[in-house]
Amino acid sequence: MDLTTKTINTSSNRIVFLDYLRVIAITMVLMVHAIEIFYLAVDHISFKPGDDFWVALMSSPMRACVPLFVMASGYLLVPVKDSPSVFYKRRFTRILYPFIIWSVLYAFVPYLLGADQFDVMQRKMTTLLHNFNLESGHLWFVYMLVGVYLFLPIISPWLKTASKRFIEFYLVLWFITSFHHFAKLAFPEGVYGEVFWNEFHSLFYFSGHLGFIVLAFYFRKFVTLGKAKSRILGLIIFLIGYVITFTVFREMLAHTNVIYFVELPFRFCTPNVILMTIGLFLMIRTIDYQNEKVYKVVKELSRLSYGVYLSHMFFIGLSWTYVVQPMNLSTPVSILLVTALTWIASYILVKLLSYLPNSKYFVG
């Protein structure tokens, strides 16, 4: 019997573990951004003594956050059952309107508070016509998600008919492409036929976040491990990825303070992060705890997770500057406290917005 048959709430027809997954993943996102306070400068990496260890220890496992969100979409949405037009209208209505509103807010609010001059605000508004601004850098995720969603109706007919072996063939090639960033360290001129006049190397079309969609579908259709095996195997795979991420980050840091190189092991489509994602997904998939009071809270947090994602960058800096930094706490405690305060503030804001008419345009 498929493990997921035990994790469906029959009263609401919800896949229970996906609600837990969204809450876990958004918490990981908030912690990633809280940790960045302790090492990201404008154009390089900078640590206080001892913080490099805590950043490596606490940030490394959090890097599975975005892949987990993508896998939740893949598990839930593919193969697409609606027509492409219906699917696009439904999904993009949910994600694009809030995305546009919050992008504008991130560009306008600093001017409103006196932190930006009018010409700076104008430049930020103009930038929104083609990309995100520095303050709304976390919204890169929405650009990526739009691209993935555009492709789902295209890939769905193949997923409906593809054999297990054929999907595994795709996933193997996808996993090979995840070594691309590290391969470029050894071969900076390019790999797989990549040159300056052709960035689309031979495995280009197997790469990227779409692989997490196919991986989630593969788990749903073909992986039927029991709870104990899923948790043990998941923990082993996760720890392998964690150790690799931690070790490579520290090794990079020993040789350079350039953000591009130091954060290579933190990139989402790398083999180590893929391993952590698989491990966590296997473990989270076993969650079927449906105590009425607990699951009610989890569903609520899951429902508002997109709004929390969109809004949380307003509160990361405020939590640190006005609450946590003056307390002079240790680095790990400060990280956890910034994460918690950001969660609470973002939730309260999004919850209040959810009471407005047409609140879906603000919180998704």
Side-chain angles (χ1 to χ4, degrees):
M1 179 180 291
D2 191 330
L3 180 64
T4 58
T5 59
K6 300 179 181 179
T7 59
I8 296 177
N9 186 292
T10 54
S11 62
S12 59
N13 200 31
R14 297 180 69 90
I15 300 176
V16 173
F17 86 87
L18 290 182
D19 285 318
Y20 285 94
L21 183 148
R22 292 188 191 96
V23 175
I24 292 169
I26 189 61
T27 303
M28 294 167 71
V29 169
L30 269 55
M31 187 172 289
V32 163
H33 293 148
I35 294 170
E36 286 178 347
I37 294 170
F38 293 87
Y39 75 97
L40 278 187
V42 175
D43 58 356
H44 65 282
I45 300 292
S46 178
F47 286 102
K48 291 181 179 179
D51 278 1
D52 55 325
F53 170 79
W54 289 112
V55 167
L57 186 74
M58 299 179 73
S59 192
S60 294
M62 300 299 112
R63 297 297 165 160
C65 55
V66 166
L68 285 173
F69 271 125
V70 180
M71 287 191 71
S73 292
Y75 203 93
L76 194 62
L77 298 178
V78 294
V80 173
K81 299 177 179 62
D82 299 317
S83 67
S85 60
V86 171
F87 174 80
Y88 290 147
K89 181 178 180 180
R90 180 176 297 159
R91 302 313 303 178
F92 291 153
T93 297
R94 180 177 183 271
I95 67 171
L96 285 182
Y97 288 117
F99 161 71
I100 292 169
I101 290 172
W102 286 97
S103 294
V104 171
L105 286 173
Y106 279 107
F108 182 71
V109 169
Y111 166 73
L112 190 66
L113 298 177
D116 284 345
Q117 299 295 321
F118 182 77
D119 61 324
V120 175
M121 185 270 290
Q122 272 190 317
R123 187 165 63 251
K124 289 180 179 179
M125 289 292 187
T126 303
T127 299
L128 292 179
L129 297 176
H130 61 89
N131 212 339
F132 52 82
N133 288 291
L134 178 63
E135 293 85 353
S136 56
H138 65 298
L139 298 184
W140 74 269
F141 171 79
V142 183
Y143 290 85
M144 177 273 291
L145 196 62
V146 167
V148 170
Y149 279 178
L150 283 171
F151 213 78
L152 294 192
I154 298 171
I155 200 173
S156 287
W158 172 67
L159 289 173
K160 288 178 182 177
T161 60
S163 66
K164 180 181 179 183
R165 185 60 58 87
F166 196 12
I167 294 175
E168 288 171 346
F169 167 75
Y170 168 87
L171 290 173
V172 168
L173 291 180
W174 170 66
F175 190 71
I176 291 173
T177 69
S178 71
F179 289 87
H180 181 264
H181 298 300
F182 296 114
K184 289 290 288 289
L185 295 177
F187 309 102
E189 69 278 5
V191 291
Y192 312 137
E194 182 184 17
V195 286
F196 75 86
W197 66 84
N198 173 45
E199 66 271 35
F200 305 107
H201 54 80
S202 59
L203 295 181
F204 181 87
Y205 301 103
F206 289 88
S207 64
H209 294 85
L210 188 65
F212 291 111
I213 295 288
V214 179
L215 183 64
F217 174 81
Y218 179 84
F219 271 103
R220 181 166 191 167
K221 187 170 183 178
F222 299 112
V223 179
T224 57
L225 297 173
K227 259 188 185 182
K229 288 184 178 179
S230 290
R231 289 174 178 175
I232 294 171
L233 182 61
L235 180 61
I236 292 171
I237 295 173
F238 167 75
L239 289 175
I240 292 171
Y242 184 6
V243 169
I244 294 171
T245 307
F246 176 90
T247 303
V248 176
F249 179 82
R250 299 270 287 175
E251 184 65 22
M252 289 288 187
L253 193 59
H255 293 88
T256 181
N257 69 345
V258 177
I259 296 173
Y260 176 88
F261 294 108
V262 174
E263 286 202 328
L264 275 180
F266 284 175
R267 298 195 185 187
F268 303 114
C269 296
T270 51
N272 47 292
V273 173
I274 290 172
L275 290 174
M276 288 194 296
T277 303
I278 291 172
L280 284 172
F281 192 85
L282 278 169
M283 290 187 284
I284 295 171
R285 194 184 181 208
T286 66
I287 299 175
D288 58 2
Y289 188 68
Q290 297 184 55
N291 173 276
E292 184 176 353
K293 292 182 179 179
V294 173
Y295 187 53
K296 182 179 180 181
V297 173
V298 171
K299 280 196 297 183
E300 169 74 357
L301 298 179
S302 173
R303 181 177 70 88
L304 297 178
S305 61
Y306 183 53
V308 170
Y309 182 88
L310 293 170
S311 64
H312 78 274
M313 287 303 286
F314 277 123
F315 301 108
I316 288 283
L318 292 174
S319 299
W320 165 248
T321 302
Y322 295 106
V323 181
V324 179
Q325 188 179 26
M327 299 172 70
N328 197 28
L329 302 169
S330 67
T331 294
V333 173
S334 296
I335 289 169
L336 294 173
L337 188 54
V338 170
T339 302
L341 291 172
T342 301
W343 231 126
I344 293 168
S346 301
Y347 171 77
I348 291 173
L349 174 62
V350 173
K351 183 64 176 178
L352 291 174
L353 291 174
S354 71
Y355 291 118
L356 295 175
N358 298 313
S359 62
K360 66 180 180 179
Y361 296 116
F362 297 95
V363 300

